[in-house]
Amino acid sequence: LRSLSFVQEGPNGLSPHELLRDVIHRDLRWRNPDWNALLHRRVRHYYTKRLLEARGSEQQRVLLEDVYLHRLNPMVKPFLTWGEFGAAYSEPLKTTDQQGVLQQITDFEGEQERKTALHWLERFPQGFTVYRDAQGSLSGVLVKLELSQISPEDLERDPFVRSLSDWLARQGGLQEGETALLFRYWLSRDEGQGVSSVQSLIFIQAVQAYISTPKMAWSFFAVSDFEFWQPAFSYMGCRAVALEGGGAQRGAYARDWRSGGIPAWLEMLGERELLTESLPLEETPLSERMVMLSQPEFEVAVRMALKDFTRPHALAKNPLMHSRLLGGANPENSNQSSNQPNNQPTSAQLRKLLWNTAQELKLNAREVKLYRALERTYLEPADTQELAAELLELPFSTYRRHLTQGIECLVERLWALELGRG
């Protein structure tokens, strides 16, 4: 193989010329698409296993090879510099880099963002990564923040992060031990947030951060141009969140990792790598058509749904109809078939969800009595609560206590589903 003109030798072994790779791939895809898909799955499973086991530079090398499998997908190809992955390298921020980093942020984000970036530089210098070209010159910067470490004082200094934190709170916030990653600034010296060798390497290292961050609930990429980046981030299963206070940054692309971890995400991307056409994009950002409920609002909505359980028209107006409970917030479910226009959930689906979740109480001997109170009050209701207590052969005060506890248990289970922990 080494003697052939179309085989190249490098530090990691032999590889065919780029043109030959594409010819072989396109020919196989045309001649035997099933075999081509099987080969891709085998390779993908191999790389997924290696990615989860490797660390550091070895992990980055494996990830570069894995990403190469996506090079012909029309939603990915325009957003990575496939032949220039080695044109930039990264290293931790040095004191001598600080002024250059702040100047790059000022050039693309404005003077106010320089002050904000200086605050983060003083607070979390370890969150700054710099990028250099082949000559060693500063060619880009990445600022990564962990939102679980952010203080109220930090929020006062960065309106964008404060707006994002408010949005995150409406999704249920972070539970104890969880964190969320925000890629606050990511810029190349020449292209800003445009396509470049720096930006491509940043995306690769972002995936490394996803894999290496324990208990990551959310990740966010601050962006200034939603429309330009929509195909790439939609491909990665992210959704747009409009925010305020970020200067040139209009918002962020977000991913909720609680509804599926890294292995499931890698599997999803693997299935998409073989697509020859672009996935349909959302006409409007999900954040604009979803109802984002806080935990207290969610509880109120569940109580309303129980009261309207036998009234489909009233149930159809419940805020839970637009929550992630029915799959509406999950980008991976956006192509599921449905008889409803635009795959809108129905009141019957919500009713079934309430019914099925309530049935789980019967599986626990201690909670059967709570289920019976729910059943006689909402699911198969008696005419009055007094009659419900009588049918259950319970004192009214005991019946009320069981009902209160039953509602609390049901809310707890549904909230876990809402957060992707069911």
Side-chain angles (χ1 to χ4, degrees), residues 109-127:
E109 308 291 343
E111 184 61 36
Q112 180 58 44
E113 290 305 300
R114 178 190 181 94
K115 298 177 183 178
T116 303
L118 179 59
H119 168 74
W120 293 122
L121 182 59
E122 294 170 348
R123 282 279 285 133
F124 300 110
Q126 70 276 14

Side-chain angles (χ1 to χ4, degrees), residues 92-113:
L93 176 77
K94 298 177 181 178
T95 303
T96 53
D97 296 321
Q98 293 184 5
Q99 291 306 313
V101 163
L102 292 174
Q103 187 58 53
Q104 286 189 16
I105 292 174
T106 304
D107 290 343
F108 288 99
E109 308 291 343
E111 184 61 36
Q112 180 58 44
E113 290 305 300

Side-chain angles (χ1 to χ4, degrees), residues 177-188:
E178 289 183 338
T179 191
L181 295 183
L182 166 61
F183 297 95
R184 179 66 177 87
Y185 301 106
W186 51 285
L187 302 164
S188 79

Side-chain angles (χ1 to χ4, degrees), residues 28-39:
L28 179 59
R29 188 173 63 187
W30 170 71
R31 276 191 301 109
N32 195 335
D34 292 339
W35 176 238
N36 179 58
L38 178 59
L39 286 179

Side-chain angles (χ1 to χ4, degrees), residues 237-269:
C238 299
R239 54 181 169 132
V241 178
L243 299 167
E244 298 178 354
Q249 311 292 356
R250 293 173 51 200
Y253 273 102
R255 178 164 180 83
D256 182 354
W257 295 93
R258 297 172 300 188
S259 58
I262 293 294
W265 181 65
L266 292 173
E267 185 66 21
M268 177 200 75
L269 293 180

Side-chain angles (χ1 to χ4, degrees), residues 299-321 346-352 354-355 374 377-381 407 410:
E299 181 175 349
V300 170
V302 172
R303 291 177 180 273
M304 290 171 52
L306 287 173
K307 291 179 180 179
D308 294 329
F309 187 80
T310 59
R311 303 166 58 213
H313 294 295
L315 198 61
K317 300 177 183 178
N318 192 284
L320 296 178
M321 291 292 296
T346 65
S347 59
Q349 289 174 305
L350 178 55
R351 193 172 187 271
K352 182 178 180 181
L354 293 169
W355 175 273
L374 285 173
T377 309
Y378 300 118
L379 308 182
E380 296 179 5
I407 294 173
L410 186 64

